Amino acid sequence: MSPISTAFLNPYSQSFCLATPSSSVLVPILLNNSNPSVLHYTNTPLGYFEGSSMKILQRSVSARELKATEAARLEALQLNKVTASQDKDEYDEYDDEDDDNDDTKPRLQKTQSLVHIRVTQPGTVQLTEVTDYSGVQSRLLYPSTITIAPCPRAEFLSGDPISRGDNVRCAAPGGGTGGVEKDLELALSISGVPPLSLKWSQEINGKREYFMVEGIEDGVPVQYDTAYPAPQRVRVPLTVSSNALGTHTYTLESVTDALGNAEV
């Protein structure tokens, strides 16, 4: 009897997101007792539902593609290490020993190996089949899916007072009236898979406070059969008080999407 062959998609429970439309991510697959000749996976678009114009991508990856992807990944890692060592402007013989302990080289058993698939489109990736050179199909370990979304983003809108440089205001200490401005109306554009959350801070004369806005979405009901809806772009008004003299600084600290992807 032959040992059981298994394949485990994203074995370290990593999260991935695509920073730009041209970005890609490498999703690991942990193999045990398997030397795959080909593997198959699908990519279901975010917000997909039956009858929509969206299509489920069917993808086959050959052993040759897997080897080429792995070679490119290792080359990129080595280049990053060289760049990092040049930035530190120091290197010794112990650096190579430390390489064996980094996160890019997980400890594997003798029967295990790691391959990566390059994903360029957001959606739910499902590993559907891994076939060995002997024709034996590996048993797929649960969970065999991972959802990859565009990275969430938050920015002040172009017409916002901060963006256009209209950053001088009159304060109204004590709640004065007579046309003196007390509040400042800011506007943000936030995008990503909803619901989103935003962390921002306000610093007045060196004193900083942090705030959190959660459950951000456009509120329009949408139909979808997938675990997550399609990404949204939401305009969020933000009213801040300007009733204290001095310099006011407003900072977008981070934005987090429904999958837990956080961008600073």
Side-chain angles (χ1 to χ4, degrees):
M1 296 180 63
S2 300
I4 296 176
S5 299
T6 61
F8 190 6
L9 180 70
N10 194 29
Y12 310 112
S13 300
Q14 297 167 273
S15 61
F16 301 92
C17 66
L18 298 167
T20 67
S22 60
S23 297
S24 64
V25 294
L26 294 177
V27 181
I29 300 174
L30 180 64
L31 303 171
N32 189 41
N33 292 310
S34 180
N35 183 21
S37 60
V38 64
L39 63 83
H40 303 275
Y41 70 88
T42 61
N43 190 343
T44 304
L46 294 166
Y48 173 86
F49 62 93
E50 286 290 340
S52 69
S53 60
M54 293 180 282
K55 303 297 182 183
I56 298 177
L57 175 68
Q58 309 279 343
R59 184 80 167 88
S60 298
V61 185
S62 66
R64 183 175 181 178
E65 289 179 86
L66 291 173
K67 291 178 181 178
T69 298
E70 191 65 13
R73 185 184 76 89
L74 294 175
E75 183 179 353
L77 286 174
Q78 188 61 38
L79 181 60
N80 289 338
K81 290 175 183 177
V82 171
T83 302
S85 65
Q86 290 174 345
D87 291 341
K88 291 190 302 181
D89 198 27
E90 59 183 22
Y91 175 84
D92 58 44
E93 65 273 15
Y94 298 107
D95 290 342
D96 292 331
E97 295 179 7
D98 292 338
D99 289 348
D100 294 331
N101 299 320
D102 64 27
D103 293 335
T104 63
K105 292 185 177 181
R107 295 184 180 277
L108 302 177
Q109 299 177 8
K110 291 183 178 180
T111 58
Q112 294 179 325
S113 61
L114 200 65
V115 296
H116 293 77
I117 54 175
R118 185 179 298 277
V119 180
T120 60
Q121 295 176 292
T124 298
V125 174
Q126 179 173 13
L127 188 63
T128 57
E129 184 180 305
V130 177
T131 304
D132 194 276
Y133 276 103
S134 62
V136 175
Q137 292 188 5
S138 298
R139 181 162 61 91
L140 306 182
L141 301 184
Y142 180 85
S144 60
T145 63
I146 178 176
T147 299
I148 300 169
C151 297
R153 293 177 58 87
E155 58 188 352
F156 290 105
L157 288 171
S158 57
D160 183 89
I162 290 180
S163 298
R164 66 173 184 259
D166 183 17
N167 55 2
V168 178
R169 286 290 185 276
C170 296
T177 58
V180 180
E181 298 175 77
K182 289 181 58 180
D183 296 327
L184 180 63
E185 299 293 336
L186 305 179
L188 308 176
S189 175
I190 302 178
S191 61
V193 175
L196 298 141
S197 61
L198 173 71
K199 182 179 181 182
W200 63 282
S201 65
Q202 169 185 270
E203 182 177 336
I204 303 177
N205 299 324
K207 182 180 179 180
R208 185 180 294 270
E209 291 184 90
Y210 291 91
F211 304 90
M212 179 73 77
V213 182
E214 298 181 306
I216 301 171
E217 53 188 325
D218 66 11
V220 179
V222 292
Q223 177 184 357
Y224 58 94
D225 297 334
T226 52
Y228 298 97
Q232 296 178 350
R233 182 177 296 275
V234 187
R235 183 185 186 279
V236 178
L238 188 65
T239 302
V240 294
S241 175
S242 60
N243 60 359
L245 297 173
T247 300
H248 296 224
T249 302
Y250 303 99
T251 305
L252 304 181
E253 300 287 344
S254 65
V255 58
T256 306
D257 66 9
L259 288 82
N261 298 309
E263 291 294 304
V264 179

